[in-house]
Amino acid sequence: MPIRRHRTRPNASRPLLGLALACLLPLHAAPALAAPLDPPPGVVAGPCVEGICEYRLGNGLRVLLFPDASKPTVTVNIAYGVGSVNENYGETGMAHLLEHLMFKGTPDHPDIPAEMKRRGIAKNATTSLERTNYYGSFPANDATLDWLLGLEADRMVNSSIDRADLGSEMTVVRNEMERGENNPGAVMFQRLRSTAFLWHNYGHATIGARADVEHVPIERLQAFYKRWYRPDNATLIVAGRIDPAATLARVKARFAGIPRPATPLPVAWTADPTQDGEREVTVRRSGDMRLVAAGYHVPAATHPDSAALAVLMDVLGDTPGGRLHEALVDGRLAAGTGTSLDTLRDSGLAAVLLVAPRDADIEKAEATLLAQVEDIARHPVTDDEVARAKQRIANGYEQNFNNVNAVAMALTESVAAGDWRLYFLRRDSIAAVDADDVNRVARAYFKRSNRTLARFVPTDVPDRAEIPAAPTAAERLAGYVGRQAIDAGESFDPTPARIDARTETFTLGEGLKVSLLPKDTRGDVVTVNATFRYGDASSLRGREVGALAGAMLMRGSTTLSRQQIADRFEALRTTGGVSGGLQSAGLTLQSRRDTVGEALALAADILRHPAFPESEFEQFRLQAITGLEASLKEPGPVASNALAAHFDPWPEGHPLHQQSTAESLAMIRAATLDELKAFHRDFYGTSEGEIAVVGDFDPVAMKAELERLFVGWTSKHPYAPIATRFTRVGPVDERLQVADKANAVLVARSNLSLNEDDADYPALLVANQVLGGDPLKARLGDRLRQQDGLTYGIGSGLRADASIEGRDDAGYLVIQASAAPANVDRLELGIREELQRLVRDGITADELEDTVEALRVEREQALAADGNLVGILGRNLYLGRTMAWSARLDARLQALGVDEVNAAIRRHLDPDALSVFSAGDFGASGGAVGAPAQDAAR
């Protein structure tokens, strides 16, 4: 399961809507502050902040309820106050390993993944330094909620944690560890942390030491489970479409009977001393890019300085306006930069990073990086920089809070830091930061003697940074009440019929198709997706370099620089932008009712009037080359590119030809700005395509705005779809050697003649789900992960073709997995055996029933997310469909019989036609060694 890193800034703001339309919409009454329920006996009400209320059971369990009726979903998230920081010598990785075993069952729930899949629960778990959490999201349903609460109560104290499961899951976790070992940045940052912390367990990787993971006794793991999994060490968060009183009653019924252990929770007291000199560490591994990072000790999340540090790290790390980007990327010393900031219970690290190509002047780049951080006293942060950083961070909080499920997950980190209300206090503290605060914390903590770069250098006159003690969460929160809860929007049930009934579809000009679905959304959010089409196979032949024009659109227009574009979107509280490819360009926006009109006008101007600045083009070229060169030594891209080349039916020069990495590098190196400008001039236009808008807007005003902005700009080369056809490709089995990579990647594919309108399409959807649609419980995952323990992740995918007219049928089945190189032979054998078993024996009635239900829930959930819905509506416009097509597919799935599915499997799936490409360090594993990756590339 994933390892979570700590981040300061919430995900970028969920966009809002247009100023030009605001006066046409009704105003919403200001919501009142939420008040706690009158709790049932044995439950104590705690504080409420912005719609979230806390309750305590007699056994110490903390419960947070966040009702929101605007979307038909519920998230249950239980967080335990235990992570890698709580592990003792010889136990590293135990918290994460235990997280995996918590899915292995209890006496009353022997097969947790299967039971969750049957109920359509999207589930996962994560382990971090100070907490472990388990979450499930599902369509609002009282029975499912009650069942999931019962499961979490059951596995809090009754999980099996037995020796047999440890044997197989240990190798799964070890493969997860090997996947991380493939990432140079992850390895380097772990070395930085282990060097920065001499005694505190913040220096230990959550994944653990390989020796500990491989040899931990089951008795130690069982004792760890009993020590930390208890009600007084857990916070249960329930968010979404819930009845708070009924939900609290269910929580009490399920959890109140679990006793609080007599033994108190362990208390930690270890703290690192003040750092007394620079430290440095060097990692030497395979790769083509250079990385440099520096970390500085900073106070805990509850310290007042943490807010100013958050602003400072945004001033440094933003792209493209941050100081690091301007000095290093704009200065052509690096391909990219970034920052991170711990928000932990104890003092953590603030870190800065640069990424550069292998041949960069790394000494100059490193010196520039450190000067930008440690010389702020000579070049103070300005009021304008602080204001822009605070706006970006505020937009991120605003977007996050528009998604109740996202808030439920975000609160987990604040719980780990001491109290869930720290999430809101941090937001408000950041809003109060000024430039003096930012410059003060820079002087206090960004000192040379407080730096870990990866080297130790003696210092004659130490200049140490004393880390002040932090107040308790209770002290910081005294008198704090938070802000008013925002308007949640309407309760809209997104069935295909209701979507069609609410959606207005029409054509602007000669060929711009539009779907508008107005509805009242949480935070007045509106989502826009547009695709503008041009060109055909003949006019695009030999113009591959034109695809690069789309990457330059957001890098400056004739009236705005790249930074001004970014600032303008931030000011409009809008995320997204414009992009382009070889046969289409488009825009995606999330905005608000009062800003969407201006955001659309900004996007339209950027799309139509790009400046193609030379400095930005050279920056893009450097970044693209750096990324492509790095991919030459990464197993995933190496295997995927080889598979794509093997199945490519198109000749060089054809618009759909799959370029090799070498061809892409040559094209980018040779590309000129004149070629990109010419492509934009010759092909771009907005008079033909599709636009879908969903959210809080006035449809009359929106129609007028879309017509004004996009009708009339006609491409010189009208759009014509390029027909795609099934191609029979002979099977191959290739190993590609990628040195010094602990994790190998396997990809496999078999072509199918399949269109979405074919009679067998629903049956094959089910077949694919049974084979590899769920990483834990589909046949591939059940055998190769759950039973054999060979892989951390494995799955399959089905691609069916679709076309405006005729029957394009270039479909395929694809499978992807990872494993240690020494286990790839067994992994491939297991994949082939499971595919053969599927064709030979078919699926069972139980598998059909569970899979059809899971697909129903998955498809319903897709329609509940506006970001997905605009894409579906836009695709329907392109293909000439309505949501009735989706309803018919749903009905066809429900009507399937076992014999029908198995007959379709036998007609279409041929195990002997499967081609397999594996990439990894097979020499180190002792396995058969294939051609080096660079030689195997076409």
Side-chain angles (χ1 to χ4, degrees), residues 241-283:
R241 187 178 288 181
I242 60 171
D243 180 311
T247 301
L248 189 58
R250 287 190 175 95
V251 171
K252 179 186 177 184
R254 291 295 192 174
F255 287 88
I258 303 173
R260 183 201 299 254
T263 305
L265 284 162
V267 177
W269 51 81
T270 302
D272 262 44
T274 300
Q275 187 166 326
D276 55 2
E278 305 95 316
R279 301 173 190 165
E280 193 169 292
V281 64
T282 299
V283 177

Side-chain angles (χ1 to χ4, degrees), residues 398-589:
E398 191 171 57
Q399 179 189 2
N400 213 40
F401 207 69
N402 286 333
N403 184 332
V404 172
N405 293 337
V407 174
M409 300 304 299
L411 291 177
T412 302
E413 308 304 331
S414 296
V415 168
D419 191 295
W420 62 276
R421 292 170 292 168
L422 292 171
Y423 176 85
F424 300 97
L425 178 64
R426 183 174 183 80
R427 176 202 61 194
D428 294 351
S429 299
I430 288 171
V433 167
D434 60 26
D436 289 341
D437 296 324
V438 173
N439 289 306
R440 175 181 56 78
V441 297
R443 292 191 301 271
Y445 306 117
F446 286 178
K447 297 182 179 182
R448 183 173 63 178
S449 64
N450 191 35
R451 177 211 308 157
T452 298
L453 186 67
R455 174 182 63 230
F456 176 78
V457 177
T459 304
D460 293 335
V461 182
D463 180 18
R464 298 173 179 169
E466 298 291 340
I467 307 301
T472 66
E475 291 169 340
R476 286 290 287 145
L477 291 161
Y480 180 71
V481 296
R483 302 176 185 177
Q484 290 182 329
I486 66 173
D487 177 46
E490 69 173 291
S491 178
F492 176 69
D493 190 8
T495 65
R498 289 189 177 94
I499 292 170
D500 267 344
R502 182 77 70 96
T503 302
E504 178 187 4
T505 299
F506 52 88
T507 299
L508 293 174
E510 296 182 356
L512 187 57
K513 303 171 184 176
V514 180
S515 281
L516 303 181
L517 197 167
K519 63 174 182 172
D520 189 9
T521 56
R522 182 177 180 85
D524 299 336
V525 173
V526 64
T527 305
V528 183
N529 185 73
T531 302
F532 306 108
R533 303 183 186 276
Y534 46 74
D536 58 13
S538 176
S539 61
L540 291 168
R541 183 174 292 276
R543 301 292 295 269
E544 297 90 343
V545 72
L548 304 182
M552 292 294 297
L553 298 176
M554 292 288 287
R555 292 174 177 257
S557 71
T558 54
T559 56
L560 296 173
S561 68
R562 181 181 180 185
Q563 180 62 59
Q564 288 170 330
I565 290 172
D567 288 347
R568 186 60 183 145
F569 274 123
E570 290 285 356
L572 295 171
R573 295 175 295 172
T574 298
T575 57
V578 301
S579 60
L582 194 57
Q583 205 177 6
S584 67
L587 62 89
T588 57
L589 300 174

